[in-house]
Amino acid sequence: MKKILSIVGARPQFIKLAPLSRKLRETPAFREIIVHTGQHYDSSLSELFFQQLKIPQPEYNLGIGSASQAQQTGKMLIALEEVYLKEKPHLVIVFGDTNSTLAGALAAAKADIPVLHIEAGLRSYNRSMPEEINRAAADHISDFLFAPTRTAVENLETEGLKKRTYLTGDIMVDSLLDNLPTALEKSSFPEKLGLEEDDYMLLTLHRPYNVDDPVKLGAILRLLAAVETQILFPVHPRTRNVIARHKIDTPGNIRLIDPVGYLDFICLEKKSRKIITDSGGIQKEAYILGKPCITVRPETEWVETVQEGWNILVNPEDPGFIEKVTGFWPQAQRGDIFGSNVAHRMEQEIEKLL
Ligand code: UDP
């Protein structure tokens, strides 16, 4: 039996882990062990996702918590090395682009344990984003690269990584499609907030360059006052801290709520009129659900969603910002960018690799 260690630490990684973990555990050839680094420890970003997505409790929780980039990554490297030396897995799996991804891959590579990077090959080409450094470094030290899109495959080929690359599709498709029927049946959002389907926009902001500067965050929120629709804003703890610390006023049409669990969130996405975000995962979900997506970033790693006309990149400092938010209505048919039945394909590929 092959022992596989799945390394996770942040909200989007729990969502990516859920369908793959289920598949691996259904396969007698594998024994999966989940390691939670503790990068996200707030229960609204962590525990809730394990419950809702029925992910088995992690066998290890390293409890690393918040710290500077180097301190957090360094502490993870030390703790993960210990786990790897004890467990001696046949494979380590890392997901996405957080410090847990980089530390998980680097500690494994140094311990001579094969590493698989899920969501490999994404590039924003903006090296001021910590995520860009994490994903590029993780790709280059991993042995197997599961790419979600054709563009990701091309990026990896350009960087000389073709031999290690497998086009598998995007695991978040499975998470979304597996959970959407239950979400629509069980969630009481948005009605419990007095909002009606198709009558609100959904907003999320948590990238450091949008939220760490209170002047910039305040300006984005003030500009959105000009949107006539109600805007529902589940606020990430990072953003909530800046709003509270700097006493940023939010306009009356923006409704702030705590971050919600996955089932409630995908229900809110599905019932929204449009989505305004700086999240990576939410751009994909908007596309899959057929919602116009307005991305508050200068670039995106999910370029196909823009090329296909369902996502626009906006700059709040641009005088046309509000016209873009209100006037954006995609016309094109959506294609199949992200694949389907992805966990199954990944599991089959892993069986061949080990
Ligand atoms: N999400 C959620 N509740 C929220 C906001 C987001 O469940 O209140 C989910 C969302 O459906 C998506 C993921 O979190 O699957 C995106 O995570 P995040 O924006 O934190 O990270 P990114 O994708 O930008 O790395």
mmCIF file of all heavy atoms in Angstrom, residues 246-268:
data_model
loop_
_atom_site.group_PDB
_atom_site.id
_atom_site.type_symbol
_atom_site.label_atom_id
_atom_site.label_comp_id
_atom_site.label_asym_id
_atom_site.label_seq_id
_atom_site.Cartn_x
_atom_site.Cartn_y
_atom_site.Cartn_z
ATOM 1 N N HIS A 246 -8.720 50.814 10.950
ATOM 2 C CA HIS A 246 -8.694 52.179 10.375
ATOM 3 C C HIS A 246 -10.089 52.795 10.304
ATOM 4 O O HIS A 246 -10.266 53.826 9.665
ATOM 5 C CB HIS A 246 -8.028 52.143 8.997
ATOM 6 C CG HIS A 246 -6.609 51.670 9.078
ATOM 7 N ND1 HIS A 246 -5.568 52.523 9.361
ATOM 8 C CD2 HIS A 246 -6.071 50.436 8.970
ATOM 9 C CE1 HIS A 246 -4.438 51.821 9.422
ATOM 10 N NE2 HIS A 246 -4.717 50.548 9.170
ATOM 11 N N LYS A 247 -11.042 52.118 10.926
ATOM 12 C CA LYS A 247 -12.426 52.636 10.995
ATOM 13 C C LYS A 247 -12.911 53.111 9.622
ATOM 14 O O LYS A 247 -13.394 54.226 9.447
ATOM 15 C CB LYS A 247 -12.527 53.780 12.011
ATOM 16 C CG LYS A 247 -12.148 53.357 13.418
ATOM 17 C CD LYS A 247 -12.463 54.481 14.406
ATOM 18 C CE LYS A 247 -12.258 54.073 15.850
ATOM 19 N NZ LYS A 247 -10.881 53.675 16.213
ATOM 20 N N ILE A 248 -12.741 52.224 8.632
ATOM 21 C CA ILE A 248 -13.142 52.579 7.261
ATOM 22 C C ILE A 248 -14.665 52.542 7.171
ATOM 23 O O ILE A 248 -15.293 51.556 7.568
ATOM 24 C CB ILE A 248 -12.521 51.587 6.239
ATOM 25 C CG1 ILE A 248 -11.000 51.704 6.280
ATOM 26 C CG2 ILE A 248 -13.055 51.846 4.822
ATOM 27 C CD1 ILE A 248 -10.267 50.698 5.397
ATOM 28 N N ASP A 249 -15.235 53.634 6.669
ATOM 29 C CA ASP A 249 -16.691 53.694 6.492
ATOM 30 C C ASP A 249 -17.087 52.920 5.249
ATOM 31 O O ASP A 249 -16.430 53.023 4.220
ATOM 32 C CB ASP A 249 -17.128 55.150 6.264
ATOM 33 C CG ASP A 249 -17.342 55.825 7.598
ATOM 34 O OD1 ASP A 249 -17.559 55.109 8.589
ATOM 35 O OD2 ASP A 249 -17.262 57.067 7.628
ATOM 36 N N THR A 250 -18.171 52.149 5.348
ATOM 37 C CA THR A 250 -18.615 51.442 4.140
ATOM 38 C C THR A 250 -19.961 52.018 3.706
ATOM 39 O O THR A 250 -20.834 52.264 4.549
ATOM 40 C CB THR A 250 -18.721 49.925 4.382
ATOM 41 O OG1 THR A 250 -19.360 49.716 5.620
ATOM 42 C CG2 THR A 250 -17.376 49.267 4.389
ATOM 43 N N PRO A 251 -20.136 52.238 2.392
ATOM 44 C CA PRO A 251 -21.384 52.822 1.907
ATOM 45 C C PRO A 251 -22.589 51.944 2.218
ATOM 46 O O PRO A 251 -22.456 50.728 2.411
ATOM 47 C CB PRO A 251 -21.172 52.911 0.391
ATOM 48 C CG PRO A 251 -19.763 52.578 0.127
ATOM 49 C CD PRO A 251 -19.187 51.925 1.322
ATOM 50 N N GLY A 252 -23.771 52.565 2.230
ATOM 51 C CA GLY A 252 -24.998 51.884 2.633
ATOM 52 C C GLY A 252 -25.393 50.715 1.743
ATOM 53 O O GLY A 252 -26.075 49.798 2.199
ATOM 54 N N ASN A 253 -24.984 50.722 0.478
ATOM 55 C CA ASN A 253 -25.389 49.603 -0.399
ATOM 56 C C ASN A 253 -24.474 48.387 -0.246
ATOM 57 O O ASN A 253 -24.692 47.359 -0.874
ATOM 58 C CB ASN A 253 -25.419 50.050 -1.874
ATOM 59 C CG ASN A 253 -24.039 50.400 -2.403
ATOM 60 O OD1 ASN A 253 -23.198 50.911 -1.660
ATOM 61 N ND2 ASN A 253 -23.799 50.142 -3.668
ATOM 62 N N ILE A 254 -23.427 48.508 0.577
ATOM 63 C CA ILE A 254 -22.537 47.345 0.773
ATOM 64 C C ILE A 254 -22.853 46.710 2.119
ATOM 65 O O ILE A 254 -22.756 47.343 3.163
ATOM 66 C CB ILE A 254 -21.049 47.744 0.706
ATOM 67 C CG1 ILE A 254 -20.751 48.409 -0.639
ATOM 68 C CG2 ILE A 254 -20.162 46.529 0.918
ATOM 69 C CD1 ILE A 254 -19.286 48.727 -0.872
ATOM 70 N N ARG A 255 -23.209 45.451 2.079
ATOM 71 C CA ARG A 255 -23.603 44.717 3.285
ATOM 72 C C ARG A 255 -22.459 43.807 3.701
ATOM 73 O O ARG A 255 -22.116 42.867 2.971
ATOM 74 C CB ARG A 255 -24.847 43.917 2.894
ATOM 75 C CG ARG A 255 -25.446 43.098 3.919
ATOM 76 C CD ARG A 255 -26.520 43.921 4.642
ATOM 77 N NE ARG A 255 -27.255 43.031 5.510
ATOM 78 C CZ ARG A 255 -28.407 42.469 5.175
ATOM 79 N NH1 ARG A 255 -28.969 42.716 4.004
ATOM 80 N NH2 ARG A 255 -29.009 41.669 6.021
ATOM 81 N N LEU A 256 -21.849 44.095 4.838
ATOM 82 C CA LEU A 256 -20.715 43.291 5.298
ATOM 83 C C LEU A 256 -21.201 42.128 6.156
ATOM 84 O O LEU A 256 -22.004 42.331 7.071
ATOM 85 C CB LEU A 256 -19.772 44.149 6.147
ATOM 86 C CG LEU A 256 -18.790 45.057 5.407
ATOM 87 C CD1 LEU A 256 -19.508 46.191 4.716
ATOM 88 C CD2 LEU A 256 -17.738 45.598 6.348
ATOM 89 N N ILE A 257 -20.702 40.938 5.852
ATOM 90 C CA ILE A 257 -20.992 39.789 6.721
ATOM 91 C C ILE A 257 -19.683 39.018 6.940
ATOM 92 O O ILE A 257 -18.708 39.231 6.210
ATOM 93 C CB ILE A 257 -22.067 38.832 6.131
ATOM 94 C CG1 ILE A 257 -21.656 38.300 4.743
ATOM 95 C CG2 ILE A 257 -23.424 39.501 6.058
ATOM 96 C CD1 ILE A 257 -22.552 37.169 4.230
ATOM 97 N N ASP A 258 -19.675 38.146 7.935
ATOM 98 C CA ASP A 258 -18.492 37.301 8.148
ATOM 99 C C ASP A 258 -18.334 36.343 6.970
ATOM 100 O O ASP A 258 -19.316 36.067 6.270
ATOM 101 C CB ASP A 258 -18.662 36.487 9.438
ATOM 102 C CG ASP A 258 -18.452 37.369 10.665
ATOM 103 O OD1 ASP A 258 -17.756 38.396 10.539
ATOM 104 O OD2 ASP A 258 -19.001 37.029 11.727
ATOM 105 N N PRO A 259 -17.122 35.813 6.764
ATOM 106 C CA PRO A 259 -16.966 34.811 5.697
ATOM 107 C C PRO A 259 -17.947 33.669 5.948
ATOM 108 O O PRO A 259 -18.223 33.344 7.111
ATOM 109 C CB PRO A 259 -15.531 34.308 5.859
ATOM 110 C CG PRO A 259 -14.867 35.189 6.831
ATOM 111 C CD PRO A 259 -15.907 35.996 7.547
ATOM 112 N N VAL A 260 -18.476 33.092 4.890
ATOM 113 C CA VAL A 260 -19.455 32.022 5.064
ATOM 114 C C VAL A 260 -18.836 30.693 4.626
ATOM 115 O O VAL A 260 -17.815 30.678 3.934
ATOM 116 C CB VAL A 260 -20.760 32.305 4.265
ATOM 117 C CG1 VAL A 260 -21.447 33.542 4.809
ATOM 118 C CG2 VAL A 260 -20.495 32.435 2.777
ATOM 119 N N GLY A 261 -19.466 29.600 5.020
ATOM 120 C CA GLY A 261 -18.982 28.272 4.630
ATOM 121 C C GLY A 261 -19.143 28.062 3.131
ATOM 122 O O GLY A 261 -19.824 28.829 2.445
ATOM 123 N N TYR A 262 -18.516 26.997 2.645
ATOM 124 C CA TYR A 262 -18.502 26.756 1.202
ATOM 125 C C TYR A 262 -19.901 26.605 0.622
ATOM 126 O O TYR A 262 -20.213 27.163 -0.433
ATOM 127 C CB TYR A 262 -17.653 25.510 0.933
ATOM 128 C CG TYR A 262 -17.432 25.218 -0.523
ATOM 129 C CD1 TYR A 262 -16.723 26.098 -1.329
ATOM 130 C CD2 TYR A 262 -17.911 24.038 -1.095
ATOM 131 C CE1 TYR A 262 -16.509 25.823 -2.676
ATOM 132 C CE2 TYR A 262 -17.693 23.755 -2.433
ATOM 133 C CZ TYR A 262 -16.995 24.641 -3.215
ATOM 134 O OH TYR A 262 -16.785 24.374 -4.540
ATOM 135 N N LEU A 263 -20.768 25.849 1.318
ATOM 136 C CA LEU A 263 -22.109 25.609 0.756
ATOM 137 C C LEU A 263 -22.868 26.928 0.612
ATOM 138 O O LEU A 263 -23.501 27.192 -0.423
ATOM 139 C CB LEU A 263 -22.895 24.625 1.622
ATOM 140 C CG LEU A 263 -22.309 23.218 1.715
ATOM 141 C CD1 LEU A 263 -23.165 22.339 2.609
ATOM 142 C CD2 LEU A 263 -22.168 22.578 0.331
ATOM 143 N N ASP A 264 -22.802 27.770 1.639
ATOM 144 C CA ASP A 264 -23.485 29.058 1.550
ATOM 145 C C ASP A 264 -22.840 29.934 0.465
ATOM 146 O O ASP A 264 -23.530 30.631 -0.260
ATOM 147 C CB ASP A 264 -23.433 29.788 2.903
ATOM 148 C CG ASP A 264 -24.352 29.137 3.925
ATOM 149 O OD1 ASP A 264 -25.399 28.600 3.517
ATOM 150 O OD2 ASP A 264 -24.027 29.156 5.123
ATOM 151 N N PHE A 265 -21.524 29.860 0.369
ATOM 152 C CA PHE A 265 -20.866 30.756 -0.588
ATOM 153 C C PHE A 265 -21.199 30.381 -2.033
ATOM 154 O O PHE A 265 -21.502 31.253 -2.855
ATOM 155 C CB PHE A 265 -19.341 30.776 -0.376
ATOM 156 C CG PHE A 265 -18.716 31.932 -1.105
ATOM 157 C CD1 PHE A 265 -18.784 33.218 -0.582
ATOM 158 C CD2 PHE A 265 -18.109 31.756 -2.336
ATOM 159 C CE1 PHE A 265 -18.257 34.305 -1.273
ATOM 160 C CE2 PHE A 265 -17.582 32.838 -3.035
ATOM 161 C CZ PHE A 265 -17.654 34.112 -2.502
ATOM 162 N N ILE A 266 -21.176 29.089 -2.351
ATOM 163 C CA ILE A 266 -21.462 28.747 -3.756
ATOM 164 C C ILE A 266 -22.938 29.006 -4.082
ATOM 165 O O ILE A 266 -23.280 29.346 -5.210
ATOM 166 C CB ILE A 266 -20.999 27.316 -4.152
ATOM 167 C CG1 ILE A 266 -21.660 26.237 -3.321
ATOM 168 C CG2 ILE A 266 -19.492 27.216 -4.075
ATOM 169 C CD1 ILE A 266 -21.251 24.808 -3.725
ATOM 170 N N CYS A 267 -23.799 28.916 -3.071
ATOM 171 C CA CYS A 267 -25.200 29.280 -3.279
ATOM 172 C C CYS A 267 -25.302 30.784 -3.552
ATOM 173 O O CYS A 267 -26.010 31.222 -4.469
ATOM 174 C CB CYS A 267 -25.991 28.874 -2.034
ATOM 175 S SG CYS A 267 -27.722 29.207 -2.180
ATOM 176 N N LEU A 268 -24.558 31.576 -2.772
ATOM 177 C CA LEU A 268 -24.558 33.035 -2.999
ATOM 178 C C LEU A 268 -24.011 33.385 -4.382
ATOM 179 O O LEU A 268 -24.504 34.297 -5.043
ATOM 180 C CB LEU A 268 -23.731 33.741 -1.921
ATOM 181 C CG LEU A 268 -24.391 33.854 -0.549
ATOM 182 C CD1 LEU A 268 -23.394 34.367 0.490
ATOM 183 C CD2 LEU A 268 -25.609 34.788 -0.626
#
